[in-house]
Amino acid sequence: MTRIIHLLSAVLLFSIAVNAQSINTLSSSEKKDGWILLFNGKDKNGWHSYGKKETGSAWIIDGNALKLNVPNRAGNKAVNGGDIVTDAVFSGNFEFKADWKVSRLANSGIFFFVTENADNVNMHDTGLELQVLDDAIYEGAKENTHRAGDFFGVANARLREVNPAGEWNQVHVVLQNNKLTVKMNGFTIQEHDLSSDDWKNRIANSGLKNAPISKRQFKGRIGLQDWGSTVWYRNIKLRPL
């Protein structure tokens, strides 16, 4: 009987291993549904530094993750780092997923609707930032729009469901018919109607008041921020809707 139990356990574990989806890949159903893999886990193809042609050498492949490697922090930009954006430009409704984790007291962000041109010197002048952060930075501070899951300077997450530094978090962002929804680790943390007066006022009173998004231009690149600290990203994928 013991031998049978061990055999069944081995079969079960093998089945789980076979059926588990590999990191940085698309399943057959995802391919059928039109998902696009933005990071293949092997190299930085499909990405470049904002305003440049290549990516900085501080962005490395670490295991199966895209890592901004900052052994010693010096200011808000890594040496040979810089913000990076997708080569591809996306427009219209979309669904986006990614995993991220941060080092202790690290700060970064995932940007949407990034318009890369000479008029926008910095990525944060043009893109809507979903904050990626070790919230321990703000421990004891008053509530603000700078914590993990917030749209920086625009809107708070309604729930704080972030995992601590060193642990992976999953984000899932959907824009469909002017409704922008964000989930983190399975919890819905933001819901906005981009045609509403509330959203328009939020943008008008933020650092994006002159950005393309203020003119309801929901088009651009996906960006990952270098804010001078170590951060990892993986399973980055997007599906036009």
Side-chain angles (χ1 to χ4, degrees):
M1 179 62 73
T2 301
R3 183 178 180 181
I4 294 175
I5 292 175
H6 287 168
L7 180 60
L8 291 174
S9 297
V11 171
L12 178 61
L13 291 173
F14 177 79
S15 178
I16 292 173
V18 168
N19 291 316
Q21 184 175 341
S22 299
I23 302 299
N24 304 313
T25 63
L26 297 177
S27 67
S28 56
S29 61
E30 285 177 324
K31 292 177 181 178
K32 183 178 179 181
D33 290 340
W35 282 92
I36 302 166
L37 193 64
L38 300 182
F39 170 59
N40 62 18
K42 301 175 182 178
D43 52 47
K44 296 181 285 185
N45 286 347
W47 297 83
H48 63 272
S49 293
Y50 183 84
K52 300 179 180 180
K53 293 183 178 180
E54 306 294 333
T55 58
S57 59
W59 287 97
I60 65 173
I61 307 303
D62 180 30
N64 53 23
L66 179 58
K67 175 185 179 182
L68 178 62
N69 189 34
V70 190
N72 300 297
R73 183 166 187 171
N76 289 333
K77 290 295 177 188
V79 176
N80 297 320
D83 303 328
I84 61 174
V85 294
T86 56
D87 294 343
V89 175
F90 303 99
S91 62
N93 296 328
F94 68 88
E95 187 173 3
F96 172 89
K97 293 181 179 180
D99 300 344
W100 63 263
K101 68 176 180 178
V102 292
S103 59
R104 173 72 175 164
L105 303 181
N107 186 354
S108 183
I110 302 171
F111 283 71
F112 302 91
F113 316 120
V114 174
T115 301
E116 187 181 28
N117 58 41
D119 294 332
N120 301 316
V121 178
N122 304 300
M123 184 172 72
H124 60 258
D125 294 330
T126 167
L128 177 68
E129 178 185 4
L130 183 65
Q131 185 76 70
V132 168
L133 192 80
D134 175 13
D135 279 349
I137 292 175
Y138 291 112
E139 187 173 355
K142 293 182 179 180
E143 183 67 19
N144 58 28
T145 54
H146 301 173
R147 288 171 166 82
D150 292 347
F151 282 127
F152 186 90
V154 176
N156 296 100
R158 69 187 189 193
L159 296 173
R160 299 293 181 199
E161 295 295 342
V162 61
N163 292 325
E167 295 185 16
W168 287 105
N169 295 271
Q170 292 78 40
V171 293
H172 183 186
V173 180
V174 178
L175 173 62
Q176 189 163 31
N177 301 327
N178 287 316
K179 183 178 180 181
L180 181 62
T181 304
V182 181
K183 291 184 178 181
M184 181 179 289
N185 299 326
F187 295 89
T188 300
I189 62 170
Q190 299 237 28
E191 290 181 291
H192 301 283
D193 180 351
L194 302 194
S195 64
S196 68
D197 289 338
D198 173 70
W199 180 259
K200 293 174 184 176
N201 289 334
R202 287 177 181 276
I203 295 298
N205 291 294
S206 75
L208 299 175
K209 61 184 178 181
N210 296 317
I213 190 175
S214 69
K215 303 175 180 64
R216 296 186 50 74
Q217 296 177 19
F218 304 124
K219 174 183 177 179
R221 306 178 193 273
I222 303 294
L224 303 177
Q225 186 184 47
D226 167 7
W227 204 245
S229 46
T230 299
V231 60
W232 295 258
Y233 293 96
R234 69 181 188 186
N235 282 334
I236 312 170
K237 57 189 73 173
L238 182 143
R239 176 170 73 115
L241 297 175

